[in-house]
Amino acid sequence: MIFRILFFVFGYLPFMIVFVPGQFIITRLGLSWNFIPRWFHWFGCKFLGMNVTVIGTPSTNRATLLVSNHISWTDIIAVGSKADVTFVAKSEVKKWFFVSFMATLQRTLYVDRKKRSDAHRASREMGKRMASGGAVLLFAEGQSDIGTHVLPFRSALIGAAQHAMQDAGAGEVMIQPLTIAYTRLQGLPVGRTDRSFIAWIKSKSIKQNLTEILTGGTRDVTLAFGTPQVLSAGSDRKLVARQMETEVRRMLVALNRGTALPTATTPAE
């Protein structure tokens, strides 16, 4: 804990003081420069005690919709340290002090899932980001889980992005599965009991969860990028959602067990 405090005071904080104002200006000007967000998340990983390993390659330099499982708010920091993506977050995040400010600097998209009209607005914005050749990450379960299994992917979320990309003029969009797995805690395999100190369980406040993370040990996080496939206007969104869900689940099971990742299944037409 003492090391983390020193790292924050002499490393993380000076970085934010120097570079965050610059990122604020870049965002206001509508420009895109990913250097600062990537380093911000890298510092965040070190501060929170996360060792991130990447398997596979994120789709870059083309319109991409990444669909992933979701375990904790620290998923964003882990992914952000390794890939240039736009995150889609629930509207409640905008109420979190400092977190909302930093998320906005990375051009995070907020959506109020209780309002259909707002979901349509967010989908249109997602389409615009992808149409410009960017990558958007969607936590397709629609909520977080403890990390032992994958909840059903919401095909409506993928369908909304599919329609939005058409409206925005995105010709060919890739959809890529991403699995996030917390595999070790203090060098030991993560058990089911340990996951309550990693995942953000609804019964815990953000303050309680953050305290447990900062006072806990180092965690190994694996990001496994699957094989991207074309998401066209005529693709069956329910079938695509099942394919992505299956790939993410297969990779999560393998990573949790410490076995080799399975070979990807052939996408259905």
Side-chain angles (χ1 to χ4, degrees):
M1 185 64 180
I2 295 178
F3 172 78
R4 292 185 183 182
I5 293 175
L6 292 175
F7 178 81
F8 180 83
V9 172
F10 295 105
Y12 206 1
L13 187 59
F15 171 83
M16 288 188 285
I17 292 174
V18 173
F19 288 101
V20 166
Q23 181 65 17
F24 178 79
I25 295 173
I26 290 170
T27 304
R28 288 294 181 179
L29 293 176
L31 302 176
S32 179
W33 191 27
N34 297 316
F35 166 80
I36 295 177
R38 287 282 291 273
W39 274 98
F40 172 79
H41 289 303
W42 181 87
F43 273 100
C45 287
K46 297 302 179 183
F47 176 59
L48 296 174
M50 294 194 295
N51 300 316
V52 184
T53 300
V54 176
I55 297 176
T57 305
S59 179
T60 57
N61 300 321
R62 53 183 173 177
T64 302
L65 177 64
L66 287 161
V67 287
S68 172
N69 62 316
H70 190 26
I71 300 171
S72 170
W73 57 272
T74 56
D75 298 348
I76 295 175
I77 298 176
V79 175
S81 70
K82 299 296 183 179
D84 299 325
V85 300
T86 293
F87 294 98
V88 180
K90 58 184 180 180
S91 57
E92 289 88 338
V93 174
K94 295 180 70 173
K95 301 177 182 178
W96 298 349
F97 176 72
F98 184 70
V99 174
S100 63
F101 174 71
M102 298 310 300
T104 301
L105 289 183
Q106 196 171 348
R107 302 173 66 204
T108 295
L109 300 177
Y110 300 103
V111 56
D112 186 344
R113 297 192 180 102
K114 298 178 182 179
K115 297 181 180 179
R116 181 171 296 181
S117 60
D118 193 61
H120 290 163
R121 176 201 58 77
S123 296
R124 289 194 299 271
E125 189 62 31
M126 288 169 58
K128 292 179 182 178
R129 298 287 175 88
M130 288 186 287
S132 63
V136 174
L137 188 145
L138 181 67
F139 294 118
E141 297 164 301
Q143 65 185 74
S144 60
D145 194 53
I146 62 173
T148 56
H149 56 281
V150 177
L151 300 176
F153 278 11
R154 297 186 179 183
S155 61
L157 297 176
I158 295 176
Q162 192 176 22
H163 292 305
M165 73 184 193
Q166 289 178 258
D167 296 338
E172 182 178 276
V173 172
M174 307 303 294
I175 184 168
Q176 183 176 31
L178 165 62
T179 299
I180 302 171
Y182 293 77
T183 56
R184 290 182 174 273
L185 182 63
Q186 284 291 77
L188 299 175
V190 174
R192 188 176 183 85
T193 303
D194 299 323
R195 295 192 181 281
S196 63
F197 297 102
I198 295 175
W200 186 9
I201 300 173
K202 292 182 179 179
S203 60
K204 295 182 180 181
S205 65
I206 182 66
K207 180 180 179 181
Q208 182 181 1
N209 181 247
L210 181 59
T211 300
E212 290 177 345
I213 290 175
L214 291 177
T215 57
T218 57
R219 289 161 295 151
D220 290 354
V221 187
T222 299
L223 307 177
F225 292 88
T227 303
Q229 67 181 66
V230 176
L231 177 64
S232 64
S235 298
D236 185 328
R237 63 180 176 84
K238 292 185 178 181
L239 178 59
V240 171
R242 287 197 299 269
Q243 290 172 347
M244 296 296 107
E245 178 189 329
T246 297
E247 292 305 316
V248 170
R249 179 177 292 111
R250 283 155 56 89
M251 290 190 289
L252 181 65
V253 169
L255 291 171
N256 284 343
R257 292 177 177 175
T259 59
L261 290 182
T263 303
T265 56
T266 303
E269 297 295 335

